Amino acid sequence: MATEQRPFHLVVFGASGFTGQFVTEEVAREQVDPERSSRLPWAVAGRSREKLQRVLEKAALKLGRPTLSSEVGIIICDIANPASLDEMAKQATVVLNCVGPYRFYGEPVIKACIENGASCIDISGEPQFLELMQLKYHEKAADKGVYIIGSSGFDSIPADLGVIYTRNKMNGTLTAVESFLTIHSGPEGLSIHDGTWKSAIYGFGDQSNLRKLRNASNLKPVPLIGPKLKRRWPISYCRELKGYSIPFMGSDVSVVKRTQRYLYENLEESPVQYAAYVTVGGITSVIKLMFAGLFFLFFVRFGIGRQLLIKFPWFFSFGYFSKQGPTQKQIDAASFTLTFFGQGYSQGLGTDKNKPNIKICTQVKGPEAGYVATPIAMVQAAMTLLNDASDLPKAGGVFTPGAAFSKTKLIDRLNKHGVHE
């Protein structure tokens, strides 16, 4: 990946947005990593110089780095102005795109990056956007030798690389994995910024187009190895974790399936079936979530219902989502555990007639998921693009994290930064 003629190795686009601020801080930490032999040249990008300046000043204060503002480039660009996106992409080796919902704002950035030879990473949890971008731009990105890697935040690096990690740990053939996400909160509870809520509303409101997109892509089915993984009930009890769980509604299943397809078709690796769940604790939480889910699924079907959901996130999500997002105290006290239960066959045992004869359990743990683990995952994915070029897929293209990074040192990098097995 050419960096010599480009002034910035990394550019954080949307640095003054809610998540962008945390990504900016994380790049600032990476810039002074003791393992680096030289300073990382980087920049922030967005519409307002004043806002970008404020974000840098805030990061400088938080990190005790008074000179930070003078060390970071500022690029003024706007999603509505393609020429300004081109200018940004020309100056970057890797663009970290933090501007969502991606279904509305993601494609112009990808287009500008491909046309101007920059790679691009985003943290989208929107399957429709991610799958459409792969369909539309994979060959164009490959022709230019650039890497477009979506879902490189909490959705979906822990799940996608967690399945690969579990497969690598298993002494045999892994055929199926169920993951269970447990979110731990402190005394002040949880809160998620409503940007994530909006993405979910638009995604659920447009399910029919996602089905059409999948039908149009006409992909051959990936072979089923071992018995078919049975779906759990919408509310099921997990004995091992002593709690109830519901299906995880993020992009993890879509992303992991795309990764497994890539590994099977390109590297001839045995595909793994996958299902994702989130633990919800006891019966009180189950009832609360059932009501919130029913409200959501009812309102999301109508235009006026979607407007109400967007206008009153706190009310309709029973306090889980808000326009303000979490406080620093809530962020500091939160963490996550992702537990993987896998099954498969020991070496030498045929997978067609026999029952699976090995089970495996692995875990990925990390700090608060949305605004600490996500920036860490995104920035380490970018550092992997910059530093592990020989271990990436040979040509560029549009990839899932697992497809791009399965042979790189990304898992080691995440371990060093607090997202670990």
Side-chain angles (χ1 to χ4, degrees):
M1 290 175 64
T3 56
E4 295 78 18
Q5 70 281 29
R6 292 174 183 255
F8 305 116
H9 286 191
L10 302 182
V11 172
V12 181
F13 178 52
S16 58
F18 192 82
T19 307
Q21 300 173 55
F22 294 100
V23 173
T24 300
E25 267 175 40
E26 192 55 36
V27 179
R29 285 189 194 94
E30 185 61 40
Q31 185 194 24
V32 293
D33 189 303
E35 289 186 18
R36 291 188 59 76
S37 54
S38 61
R39 283 285 172 103
L40 180 76
W42 67 291
V44 290
R47 287 180 301 188
S48 160
R49 182 177 293 275
E50 291 71 31
K51 282 184 182 173
L52 293 169
Q53 198 69 50
R54 272 205 299 277
V55 166
L56 289 174
E57 283 161 11
K58 192 177 159 191
L61 201 63
K62 195 169 173 184
L63 302 174
R65 299 253 309 276
T67 59
L68 182 67
S69 296
S70 60
E71 298 161 12
V72 182
I74 290 182
I75 300 169
I76 304 305
C77 66
D78 186 340
I79 207 85
N81 179 348
S84 71
L85 295 177
D86 288 340
E87 276 310 306
M88 170 182 73
K90 281 174 190 164
Q91 297 179 66
T93 305
V94 182
V95 171
L96 303 182
N97 182 13
C98 303
V99 181
Y102 291 93
R103 65 168 51 237
F104 300 131
Y105 307 121
E107 187 171 356
V109 181
I110 286 175
K111 202 161 171 284
C113 285
I114 292 172
E115 284 171 5
N116 296 284
S119 289
C120 181
I121 290 178
D122 70 47
I123 44 177
S124 169
E126 303 162 46
Q128 192 178 344
F129 166 77
L130 295 162
E131 292 177 31
L132 181 62
M133 292 303 100
Q134 184 170 15
L135 207 60
K136 276 181 83 168
Y137 291 103
H138 180 69
E139 282 170 18
K140 289 175 185 170
D143 289 345
K144 286 280 194 171
V146 300
Y147 296 87
I148 307 296
I149 303 166
S151 53
S152 293
F154 184 74
D155 279 18
S156 294
I157 277 183
D160 202 16
L161 291 173
V163 172
I164 290 169
Y165 172 79
T166 306
R167 185 202 66 197
N168 294 345
K169 282 282 170 201
M170 188 157 174
N171 195 9
T173 304
L174 180 68
T175 61
V177 172
E178 291 181 311
S179 71
F180 291 83
L181 168 64
T182 305
I183 298 286
H184 315 280
S185 61
E188 297 197 11
L190 281 175
S191 179
I192 305 168
H193 188 255
D194 74 333
T196 305
W197 175 252
K198 282 179 189 161
S199 295
I201 291 164
Y202 296 125
F204 277 92
D206 204 19
Q207 286 281 42
S208 60
N209 279 328
L210 177 56
R211 279 193 294 274
K212 280 181 197 158
L213 172 67
R214 286 174 176 169
N215 292 336
S217 59
N218 235 341
L219 295 168
K220 273 191 207 155
V222 171
L224 210 60
I225 311 295
K228 191 173 187 323
L229 181 61
K230 287 194 181 90
R231 276 190 180 181
R232 290 172 179 254
W233 288 93
I235 296 168
S236 64
Y237 188 76
C238 178
R239 279 198 312 277
E240 297 89 344
L241 298 174
K242 297 182 175 62
Y244 289 92
S245 69
I246 58 172
F248 179 65
M249 303 311 263
S251 57
D252 288 356
V253 172
S254 156
V255 171
V256 170
K257 279 184 174 172
R258 286 166 56 220
T259 293
Q260 293 304 316
R261 172 181 290 282
Y262 173 86
L263 297 177
Y264 167 71
E265 289 178 351
N266 295 274
L267 304 178
E268 295 177 1
E269 291 178 8
S270 178
V272 179
Q273 301 172 64
Y274 176 67
Y277 301 92
V278 56
T279 62
V280 293
I283 202 74
T284 318
S285 304
V286 168
I287 292 164
K288 193 172 159 183
L289 273 162
M290 267 175 65
F291 276 109
L294 289 168
F295 265 130
F296 184 87
L297 292 171
F298 176 74
F299 278 91
V300 84
R301 290 162 62 194
F302 315 105
I304 194 158
R306 290 194 287 275
Q307 285 170 5
L308 285 168
L309 288 169
I310 287 165
K311 200 167 180 189
F312 304 108
W314 192 85
F315 177 76
F316 284 108
S317 70
F318 284 68
Y320 286 115
F321 291 88
S322 72
K323 290 180 187 292
Q324 296 76 35
T327 63
Q328 193 60 50
K329 271 188 181 172
Q330 285 175 319
I331 289 172
D332 293 343
S335 62
F336 77 88
T337 305
L338 196 52
T339 306
F340 299 88
F341 295 109
Q343 63 177 33
Y345 297 84
S346 52
Q347 280 177 340
L349 187 71
T351 59
D352 43 359
K353 301 258 168 60
N354 300 298
K355 280 187 171 176
N357 69 332
I358 330 183
K359 290 194 168 176
I360 185 170
C361 175
T362 61
Q363 283 190 325
V364 175
K365 295 182 177 184
E368 190 277 336
Y371 313 105
V372 185
T374 285
I376 289 169
M378 189 185 209
V379 173
Q380 291 314 311
M383 298 314 295
T384 305
L385 272 188
L386 291 173
N387 296 309
D388 297 2
S390 60
D391 301 322
L392 296 168
K394 287 291 170 269
V398 179
F399 297 102
T400 58
F405 299 129
S406 71
K407 306 299 178 202
T408 68
K409 301 183 185 73
L410 178 55
I411 290 176
D412 297 341
R413 291 177 192 281
L414 292 170
N415 278 337
K416 284 181 189 165
H417 288 79
V419 179
H420 52 84
E421 72 278 345

